[in-house]
Amino acid sequence: MKHALKISLVCMISLVYPSKVRADHIFGGYISMQQMDAAKGNFRFSVNLYIDDARGYAGYIDELKNYSSEIKIFRKRDNFVMDKFYVPYESSRSIIFDNPACAAQKNFKISAYVRAYIYKVDIDKYDDPDGYYMVTDICCRNIDLTNVDDPGNNTIMFYTEFPALKQNGQIVNYSTPEFPPINGDFICLNKLFKFDFSATDKDGDQLKYYMAEPWQGPKPVIGVSRNDPPPAPYNGVDWSAGYNQTNAIPGNPALKIEVNSGQLSVKANKTGLFLFSVMCEEWRNGKRIGVVKHDFQLPVIQCSLTTPPAPVISYQGNKATEVSFCPGETITLETDNNANWVFQWQKNGDNIPNETQNKLVVSDYGEYQVVKSFKSTCSSDTISQVVKLKNLVATPKIKADNTNICNNASIKLSVENPDSNHSYLWSYKNTPVQTSNEITVTKEGWYVIQAKKNSGLCFSDKDSILITKTISAPLPDPDARYEACSGDSIQLKTVNSNLLQYQWQVNNNNVSKGDKSTLWVKDSGNYTVKVKDDKGCEVDSKIYKVTISSSITVKFDTIFPFCLIGNKKIALAATPPNGVFSGTGINNNIFDANLAGQGKHYITYTYKSPSGCSGKQTRVIQVNQAFTLSVTPQNSTINKGESVNIVTNSSNPNVLYHWHPETYLDDHHIANPVATPDKTITYTVVATSDDGCTVSETIKIIVLGTTSIGSQIYFPNTFTPNMDGKNDEFAIFGNDIESFQLLVYNKWGEPVFESNDINTMWNGGWRNELSNPSPSGLYAITIKVTFKNGDKFEKKDAVMLLR
């Protein structure tokens, strides 16, 4: 039985939605990239989503239609972002199920949504031989999945690879494979199930299919906007125990796919809803040029063991396998009817909308079948024989001994096995030229033939042939790259024959002594060779792109001196990428100051190009010794009008001090100032050494003797969550509190901490998670307090976080 769950060669795609769109009913989907105008670089990018309507929530249809998907394109070699753009809603439709009884009883409802946009890419920039990939992600997977843990919190990451769109100076014809619309289907427990998962490719590329690992994007965070889709690599889903990519649907056999045909098969031994992923590879001239990844899911259900008898299609009262008729005519196919049966007609394996009766009126050619199932019982369905409908007049085939007009004064085209009951009409450039079994041509271009039955007006389909002007010996394609270092030479070569003449050119200018099949070059440029044969036919080769590197310019970012405080690690940056850092304290591209120690460290970055040319640059990293600082008392409580003698102690006697705020201090530039505040205040002292190292400490002075409500709430204006045990948390102080609320916001207005307990302090982490520290800076705070006596206090202020 052919169940056409036709799933596109899923170009690994990631649908990016605004943060508010967070669904748990996504079935799967794929991205398509279709070339519209090669010269202008116009491509139609489309995103296809499959949605479980049975799990839809109020307003989800509007969200699917009103929000766009963001597609992001990366260069494979170094994850450089090439393009990003949004794809808006285009259309949607309901998926037709072969077996409506099972669909109704099991509440199977699926819709397909298409988002599409014609986007112009800069073809000249897409010339990297390693190729590119595009991604988009969407939240979240269907919450009812059996084989994935916590699927409702699994973001789906779609992905597609494609080749360079310009190779050897020439624009490449390329489109991703396309998939027909799917048919709604399900798997019956313990019954062998097969369906076609193949695609078609308009470029004629070879397609290969493999079971793959479904990928997930960043974990969703409620209320927090997600960033752009990150570059590869990506993580697989969290499989439930006993499941993996080769056992996505368990059984004997488990779900598998045939490499060349794309046919999926399984004999499932467990019911449930199962996620799987198929990766389709695209091959051209023996080389893999693209990868498309598609996630989908299938239900396995317990079906009735009783099945209806297989339907038989008849035409004019007889069982049909092949029926011929003229274009424009209609015929009627039918099968036996019964009130307990329902039908679904198919054309070329796809369900035909609204064709659910026992008769079908047809006017189009193709392969037809009908699926039969019980009207009110969920059981396996049955399917009829294939009936092939074709043109009454056979399509003629053109026969030619040669298709190269340049090497012949003329070419004779003829009909292969002509029929005397037919006449044959030849046309050239859409203009009729002759009616006969054969024709002699002298011009290049497309020639078309069509047959007509002598009795009647029935015409066949058309056959065509392309006549070209070119030399007899085809030229080989140049290599992807010709690179060398200054002083080296590169040999360019084409087909060698004593019957051919050669003229090499660089940047459209003739090369002196460039009249051989080979050419040695020492200069960069775009080289071509013009080849002429003994008949006078000429052809220009594709471009040989030669790059001679005089030197490799390396740029290594400067690292300014810093102090050895805590676990200090610095990420190093240099260009071109993918070079090697070396020196003391180096681990890949990380400089570990603790491993290197105090002093000067010479770090070198070396880059070697694919052609073997290299360059390097050395930087000096100065690591200075830190010092300790303490302040006494750390906190003090005084009456209004009293003073506090503040004393600092530093392990480095040669440091400069600066206290802030500067109010109520006798001197804010000394180590031991005297403070006489008239309200509660927190001071921060910053000590700076000769080599630029800084250390800070704070002291809080609580002033008693005021009567305002506000004076009963105290808080510092600075804290240092650096895990040294001193002033690591931002705390609020007060007495006789009935209710309390603290809100902390970053500079973008996003809440980073919230507390309703005055004893719960902010440790400087995002939502108080130390593993996700907030950066240094000024944070807005809002404090709301109700006291036990009924008084209220509300204040908006700010606190400085220093690391």
Side-chain angles (χ1 to χ4, degrees), residues 29-252:
Y30 67 91
I31 300 175
S32 173
M33 172 183 172
Q34 298 298 306
Q35 197 171 48
M36 305 296 290
D37 188 323
K40 294 181 179 179
N42 291 337
F43 286 83
R44 180 181 184 271
F45 292 87
S46 63
V47 175
N48 293 265
L49 282 176
Y50 297 103
I51 305 298
D52 183 357
D53 290 318
R55 288 206 52 80
Y57 52 85
Y60 80 99
I61 293 178
D62 289 337
E63 289 185 354
L64 288 167
K65 292 183 177 180
N66 293 334
Y67 288 92
S68 300
S69 299
E70 184 187 25
I71 294 177
K72 198 169 184 181
I73 302 178
F74 295 91
R75 186 166 58 201
K76 285 182 61 180
R77 174 166 51 87
D78 55 5
N79 283 333
F80 176 78
V81 178
M82 300 293 297
D83 274 302
K84 61 179 180 178
F85 49 90
Y86 288 90
V87 182
Y89 168 81
E90 181 183 78
S91 62
S92 60
R93 58 181 174 79
S94 297
I95 300 301
I96 301 172
F97 278 83
D98 297 341
N99 193 321
C102 290
Q105 291 181 22
K106 303 299 182 180
N107 197 24
F108 295 152
K109 296 179 181 179
I110 305 174
S111 293
Y113 284 79
V114 178
R115 291 173 169 145
Y117 181 64
I118 296 178
Y119 183 76
K120 177 181 174 64
V121 301
D122 188 344
I123 292 290
D124 292 333
K125 294 181 179 179
Y126 283 82
D127 62 350
D128 193 287
D130 291 337
Y132 305 86
Y133 66 94
M134 56 183 174
V135 294
T136 185
D137 65 339
I138 181 172
C139 178
C140 285
R141 297 191 186 276
N142 196 313
I143 198 171
D144 293 328
L145 284 174
T146 304
N147 57 348
V148 176
D149 288 337
D150 194 19
N153 281 313
N154 264 241
T155 302
I156 308 170
M157 179 66 74
F158 296 122
Y159 172 99
T160 294
E161 290 182 13
F162 59 92
L165 302 177
K166 194 170 188 179
Q167 300 176 17
N168 302 313
Q170 303 295 318
I171 296 175
V172 176
N173 290 325
Y174 180 78
S175 295
T176 57
E178 282 287 325
F179 288 78
I182 68 168
N183 294 336
D185 223 327
F186 57 90
I187 302 170
C188 286
L189 186 68
N190 295 321
K191 183 173 181 180
L192 185 62
F193 180 77
K194 297 181 179 181
F195 55 93
D196 187 0
F197 211 73
S198 64
T200 58
D201 186 82
K202 76 175 185 179
D203 303 320
D205 298 320
Q206 181 186 10
L207 305 180
K208 298 181 181 181
Y209 305 88
Y210 302 93
M211 300 305 298
E213 179 85 3
W215 288 348
Q216 60 178 322
K219 290 290 186 181
V221 179
I222 297 176
V224 178
S225 298
R226 290 184 285 118
N227 296 324
D228 292 342
Y234 303 108
N235 295 323
V237 297
D238 301 322
W239 291 105
S240 299
Y243 298 96
N244 53 55
Q245 70 182 63
T246 59
N247 194 41
I249 303 181
N252 186 21

Side-chain angles (χ1 to χ4, degrees), residues 133-369:
Y133 66 94
M134 56 183 174
V135 294
T136 185
D137 65 339
I138 181 172
C139 178
C140 285
R141 297 191 186 276
N142 196 313
I143 198 171
D144 293 328
L145 284 174
T146 304
N147 57 348
V148 176
D149 288 337
D150 194 19
N153 281 313
N154 264 241
T155 302
I156 308 170
M157 179 66 74
F158 296 122
Y159 172 99
T160 294
E161 290 182 13
F162 59 92
L165 302 177
K166 194 170 188 179
Q167 300 176 17
N168 302 313
Q170 303 295 318
I171 296 175
V172 176
N173 290 325
Y174 180 78
S175 295
T176 57
E178 282 287 325
F179 288 78
I182 68 168
N183 294 336
D185 223 327
F186 57 90
I187 302 170
C188 286
L189 186 68
N190 295 321
K191 183 173 181 180
L192 185 62
F193 180 77
K194 297 181 179 181
F195 55 93
D196 187 0
F197 211 73
S198 64
T200 58
D201 186 82
K202 76 175 185 179
D203 303 320
D205 298 320
Q206 181 186 10
L207 305 180
K208 298 181 181 181
Y209 305 88
Y210 302 93
M211 300 305 298
E213 179 85 3
W215 288 348
Q216 60 178 322
K219 290 290 186 181
V221 179
I222 297 176
V224 178
S225 298
R226 290 184 285 118
N227 296 324
D228 292 342
Y234 303 108
N235 295 323
V237 297
D238 301 322
W239 291 105
S240 299
Y243 298 96
N244 53 55
Q245 70 182 63
T246 59
N247 194 41
I249 303 181
N252 186 21
L255 182 67
K256 62 181 181 179
I257 193 165
E258 206 283 323
V259 172
N260 295 311
S261 69
Q263 185 182 66
L264 282 161
S265 61
V266 64
K267 189 175 182 181
N269 59 17
K270 184 176 181 180
T271 60
L273 182 62
F274 298 93
L275 168 69
F276 64 92
S277 184
V278 169
M279 180 176 288
C280 179
E281 295 182 349
E282 193 175 6
W283 290 73
R284 182 180 295 180
N285 298 325
K287 179 181 178 182
R288 193 181 81 171
I289 63 170
V291 171
V292 182
K293 194 163 178 291
H294 186 293
D295 291 7
F296 206 72
Q297 51 199 61
L298 279 173
V300 179
I301 64 174
Q302 181 71 57
C303 302
S304 170
L305 299 179
T306 303
T307 60
V312 177
I313 299 176
S314 61
Y315 172 64
Q316 295 182 344
N318 298 311
K319 180 180 178 180
T321 56
E322 186 174 288
V323 180
S324 300
F325 58 98
C326 290
E329 296 179 348
T330 60
I331 66 169
T332 300
L333 303 177
E334 60 181 309
T335 186
D336 291 340
N337 197 13
N338 187 298
N340 295 321
W341 300 338
V342 290
F343 304 93
Q344 176 60 57
W345 288 88
Q346 296 181 344
K347 176 188 175 184
N348 299 329
D350 297 328
N351 289 340
I352 306 174
N354 303 318
E355 295 296 347
T356 57
Q357 305 301 315
N358 70 310
K359 294 183 179 181
L360 178 69
V361 178
V362 186
S363 60
D364 296 329
Y365 303 124
E367 294 184 349
Y368 289 81
Q369 289 177 281

